[in-house]
Structure formats: C-alpha cells, structure tokens
Amino acid sequence: MAKILFVMTGADHLTLADGERHPTGFWAEEFAAPYRALTEAGHEVTVATPGGVVPTVDRVSLAPEFNGGEQGAEAVAALLDGAAALRRPVALADVDPADYAAVFYPGGHGPMEDLPDDRESARIITETLGSGRPLALVCHGVAALLATEETDGVSPLRGYQVTGFTKAEEAQTGLAERARWLLQDRLVELGVRFTEAPAWSSHVVTDRNLLTGQNPGSSAELATALLGRLGTA
C-alpha cells in the first residue's frame, strides 16, 4: 500500500565516558513491533543506515525477560530472521524522502553513537517534517533529532513537543553515570519541550507530523499512531 523508510543505526557499540565500547545496536522490540504492524497492514519497509551497513541487533534485547517470556523471544528472533529488509539496507545518502509515505526511527543505544551527528539523517528528518508526511521515532532513536541543530545552534524542531528515553529510565539501565551524555538533557538543550510518563510505561507524543515514543514498550502504541496517519489503523 505504501513504502515506509526505517532509518536505523549502523553502530554496534556505544562509547562511554571513559572510552569503553559498550556492545549494543538496535533494540529488537523497537524494530519488530512497528515492522510487524506495518507489514501486516500491507506496507513495504525499506531499511536505511549510515553507509548502508547491515544493522546490528543488541543481543540483550533478544532475551526472554524483554520479550514477555521464551515464546515472545522466539517470535521476535524469527521476525528479525525473516525481515529481508534488515539484510539489504540502503545508504542514507541514497535516500530521497519523497519516495516514502512515512519515516520511522527504531531505537537502542546504537543511535546515540552515530545518528546525532549524521547530516544525511538530518536531511531526511527536515525534509520529511517539511513535507507534512509522518516522522516517527522511538526511545533512543529520538537522538537522531539532535543532528538537525544548525551551526547557529538553532534547530527547526525548537518548540516541538517530544518524548524519548528518560533520565530515570537510563539510570535504571545502569548506564546513566557512565554515559557521555543523556538523551533527555540533550533534547532539552535542542529547544524541544520534553514530556515523560512514569518509567517504562507506554507514552507517545504527537506534535504536528512528528510522533515520538518514550521507550521500548511504547513501540506498539507508536506504530498504531503511525498507521492512523497512514489511514490503515
């Protein structure tokens, strides 16, 4: 019915404040839940990454405790294995946002490594916002918005209401004290209006054609909101 672009991290680690490389990538649920919802509604998903590298899944995100048990973990692993788009990503530099009805950014700590400074990702974000087509980002994927800041320190997103992975949630992951920066702080510095719900609860914020989700558990609700924008909810 429509072509949807998933912009994903090409990073397989997050560099911590002490220089250590923390293994990561994209978070399985944040790809799987929207991918399932969109493809079951008949939409076609294309994956794009910096340089066209095959995205790495955060192995922790495949554990049963993050997928509702062993059966859920097996279902997510099977979906990732069957998602051909993950194995043949296009390069962000080759993407024309006008070719897609919507753009979606999954999270995981990987996007904090490469997307906050990626100018091609920033181009896709600003062109999609300007077109009026829906742009959705979830959890740490919201870090991609940071790349829209211009040399004068101003972002076209200033004043937008957004959510993303919170400081409270990051503290509970054990990485807050070791991280070079925290997403919530950087988004506030960007000039957006950050909103948050209690840690780990599903929370989706819509402002004009920008849709954001707070955490992995917000992925399904965000996908439903995106489908609503596409007229297939």
Side-chain angles (χ1 to χ4, degrees), residues 40-211:
E40 287 181 353
H43 301 300
E44 176 187 346
V45 170
T46 296
V47 170
T49 64
V53 303
V54 175
T56 298
V57 65
D58 188 320
R59 304 304 300 181
V60 174
S61 71
L62 296 174
E65 56 264 39
F66 295 113
N67 293 285
E70 192 66 43
Q71 187 173 358
E74 292 174 358
V76 166
L79 183 146
L80 297 184
D81 186 59
L86 278 175
R87 295 187 293 276
R88 52 169 189 257
V90 300
L92 292 181
D94 296 332
V95 169
D96 181 353
D99 291 338
Y100 300 92
V103 177
F104 183 84
Y105 281 71
H109 281 102
M112 293 180 68
E113 184 72 22
D114 57 356
L115 295 184
D117 302 307
D118 193 292
R119 299 309 302 167
E120 293 298 340
S121 174
R123 172 182 63 83
I124 292 168
I125 288 170
T126 55
E127 289 185 16
T128 302
L129 281 176
S131 73
R133 293 186 297 273
L135 170 68
L137 311 91
V138 67
C139 200
H140 291 97
V142 184
L145 299 180
L146 300 174
T148 64
E149 185 174 22
E150 300 295 344
T151 54
D152 59 3
V154 177
S155 166
L157 285 151
R158 178 168 290 184
Y160 273 77
Q161 184 169 299
V162 307
T163 190
F165 205 64
T166 68
K167 291 194 289 185
E169 290 166 330
E170 200 69 85
Q172 292 180 39
T173 71
L175 286 177
E177 294 184 357
R178 304 172 63 199
R180 291 177 297 166
W181 49 272
L182 297 178
L183 178 58
Q184 182 174 346
D185 289 341
R186 288 286 301 277
L187 289 170
V188 171
E189 292 169 4
L190 188 69
V192 303
R193 294 180 293 138
F194 190 90
T195 76
E196 61 182 295
W200 311 111
S201 59
S202 181
H203 179 53
V204 169
V205 172
T206 299
D207 189 339
R208 287 156 275 185
N209 58 321
L210 177 65
L211 299 81

Side-chain angles (χ1 to χ4, degrees), residues 213-233:
Q214 180 172 312
N215 49 37
S218 305
S219 302
E221 183 182 351
L222 183 59
T224 298
L226 180 55
L227 284 169
R229 290 299 183 99
L230 295 168
T232 52

